């Protein structure tokens, strides 16, 4: 194969070769996908419909849930289909689209987590200026900047990666298309352009990380100066979910891409990729709702409303809704 245009499809790494294990993988991923859909869907719907949750904090949480849904919807369905139909193939266009959307959602999520740390900083360190610094326009602009940065990053990386000549086969050593595995198929030194872009991306990510660390240093200093133990507990409780989600995201991503080559293997890479691309979207809603009474009350109210409407429709199918 002389260049990428001669490749019509790629072969993804399967989770198993035995039929029974392939079906187990399908049902496992189906369960994780449904959990992510249910959890994030409840957060999105509750935040949109409950007036009490129309605050900057929950606006950013709504965007995080949208990104989580997009992330898991990009990689998991194709992997499930391949296991169900006992195939490994993904089209060239499908691979490019998968890489683009995965990068979009992952990059935008990291940017949004940075914005959310700024939200917690303003709420705790500058509470009197919270409404001014994070008004509705400012929140929309910050969220749009997060989505826009993800789009720009995904566009640059995808266009550059798939412009490289590929001559080392079409077997991708991962269950979805990602940059390092595509670069392994390149036969040209032009892949250094993509390495350069990755270095720039890492530098920007480090900048975001420093902003997050700086925000939380100021937050902890402000919280420790609070005279009331109840106030300190309340302040910490609003930060812990964000810290937990951020830690899960950063630690799994860093281990996936910076682990020593000596311990790298296809099976380990497969497990680690699941930890950073599949698990967080399913776990994040649980983390955010576990200690959040406002969110739990909104979800409970929403579910009760759905149940009441469903029961009424079954009992009085011809009358419709009252009022």
């Amino acid at each position: 194969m002389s260049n990428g245009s001669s490749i019509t499809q790629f072969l993804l790494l399967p989770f198993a070769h035995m039929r029974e294990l392939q079906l187990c993988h399908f049902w496992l991923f189906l369960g994780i996908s449904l959990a992510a859909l249910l959890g994030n869907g409840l957060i999105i719907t509750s935040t949109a419909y409950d007036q009490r949750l129309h605050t900057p904090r929950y606006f950013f949480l709504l965007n995080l849930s949208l990104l989580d849904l997009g992330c898991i919807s990009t990689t998991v369905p194709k992997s499930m289909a391949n296991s169900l139909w006992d195939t490994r193939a993904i089209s060239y266009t499908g691979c490019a689209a998968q890489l683009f959307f995965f990068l979009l959602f992952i990059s935008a999520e990291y940017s949004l987590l940075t914005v959310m740390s700024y939200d917690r900083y303003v709420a705790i360190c500058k509470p009197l200026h919270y409404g001014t610094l994070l008004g509705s326009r400012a929140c929309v602009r910050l969220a749009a900047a997060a989505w826009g940065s993800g789009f720009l990053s995904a566009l640059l990386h995808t266009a550059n990666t798939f412009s490289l000549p590929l001559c080392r086969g079409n077997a991708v050593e991962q269950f979805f298309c990602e940059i390092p595995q595509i670069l392994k198929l390149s036969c040209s030194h032009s892949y250094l352009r993509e390495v350069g872009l990755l270095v720039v991306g890492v530098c920007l990510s480090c900048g975001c990380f420093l902003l997050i660390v700086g925000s939380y240093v100021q937050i902890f200093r402000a919280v420790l100066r609070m005279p009331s133990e109840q106030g300190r507990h309340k302040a910490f409780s609003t930060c812990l979910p964000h810290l937990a989600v951020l830690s899960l995201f950063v630690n799994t991503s860093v281990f996936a891409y910076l682990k020593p080559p000596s311990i790298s293997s296809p099976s380990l890479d497969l497990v680690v990729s699941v930890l950073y691309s599949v698990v967080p979207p399913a776990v994040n809603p649980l983390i955010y709702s576990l200690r959040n009474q406002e969110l739990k009350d909104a979800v409970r109210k929403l579910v009760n409303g759905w149940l009441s409407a469903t029961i009424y429709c079954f009992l009085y199918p011809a009358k419709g809704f009252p009022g």
Side-chain angles (χ1 to χ4, degrees), residues 299-312:
V299 170
R300 190 179 298 113
K301 180 181 176 182
L302 179 68
V303 173
N304 288 339
W306 283 346
L307 290 175
S308 299
T310 303
I311 292 171
Y312 189 90

Side-chain angles (χ1 to χ4, degrees), residues 9-15 75 78-79 82 87-90 95 98 170-178 182 270:
Q9 67 176 15
F10 292 95
L11 299 178
L12 300 176
L13 186 66
F15 275 85
T75 58
K78 181 59 181 175
S79 180
N82 282 359
T87 181
R88 298 174 55 191
I90 183 172
C95 185
Q98 190 179 67
N170 64 342
V172 178
E173 295 181 356
Q174 188 55 274
F175 79 95
F176 65 96
C177 294
E178 63 173 359
I182 302 296
L270 205 59

Side-chain angles (χ1 to χ4, degrees), residues 144-293:
W147 283 86
S149 65
F151 176 83
L152 182 61
S153 175
L155 185 64
L156 289 174
H157 284 294
T158 305
N160 195 55
T161 299
F162 282 89
S163 68
L164 300 175
L166 308 176
C167 63
R168 296 180 180 175
N170 64 342
V172 178
E173 295 181 356
Q174 188 55 274
F175 79 95
F176 65 96
C177 294
E178 63 173 359
I179 293 175
Q181 305 304 328
I182 302 296
L183 292 182
K184 289 181 180 179
L185 306 180
S186 174
C187 55
S188 168
H189 289 296
S190 56
Y191 75 88
L192 293 175
R193 292 179 305 173
E194 178 57 28
V195 173
L197 278 177
L198 289 173
V199 170
V200 172
V202 169
C203 291
L204 292 175
S205 298
C206 290
C208 289
F209 185 74
L210 290 176
L211 288 174
I212 294 170
V213 171
S215 296
Y216 273 103
V217 167
Q218 296 299 319
I219 287 171
F220 289 146
R221 289 177 61 185
V223 170
L224 292 175
R225 286 198 299 263
M226 290 180 179
S228 167
E229 183 179 348
Q230 183 179 2
R232 290 196 297 269
H233 180 268
K234 183 178 180 181
F236 274 127
S237 66
T238 63
C239 297
L240 286 177
H242 177 258
L243 279 174
V245 169
L246 182 66
S247 299
L248 179 65
F249 181 87
V250 172
N251 290 333
T252 53
S253 299
V254 167
F255 184 75
Y257 291 106
L258 299 181
K259 64 181 180 296
S262 58
I263 65 171
S264 182
S265 66
S267 57
L268 178 62
D269 292 345
L270 205 59
V271 172
V272 172
S273 64
V274 170
L275 289 178
Y276 83 85
S277 64
V278 178
V279 174
V283 174
N284 287 351
L286 180 63
I287 294 175
Y288 267 101
S289 61
L290 199 60
R291 298 172 60 89
N292 191 321
Q293 193 59 44

Side-chain angles (χ1 to χ4, degrees), residues 45-54 294 297-299 301:
T45 309
S46 300
T47 305
Y49 281 95
D50 196 316
Q51 294 290 331
R52 296 172 301 172
L53 301 186
H54 288 181
E294 286 182 329
D297 290 342
V299 170
K301 180 181 176 182

Side-chain angles (χ1 to χ4, degrees), residues 52-71:
R52 296 172 301 172
L53 301 186
H54 288 181
T55 63
R57 179 188 178 190
Y58 291 105
F59 172 72
F60 295 134
L61 181 57
L62 182 148
N63 278 269
L64 181 67
S65 292
L66 288 172
L67 290 170
D68 279 338
L69 281 180
C71 185

Side-chain angles (χ1 to χ4, degrees), residues 309-321:
T310 303
I311 292 171
Y312 189 90
C313 286
F314 276 113
L315 294 179
Y316 309 102
K319 292 183 178 181
F321 288 100

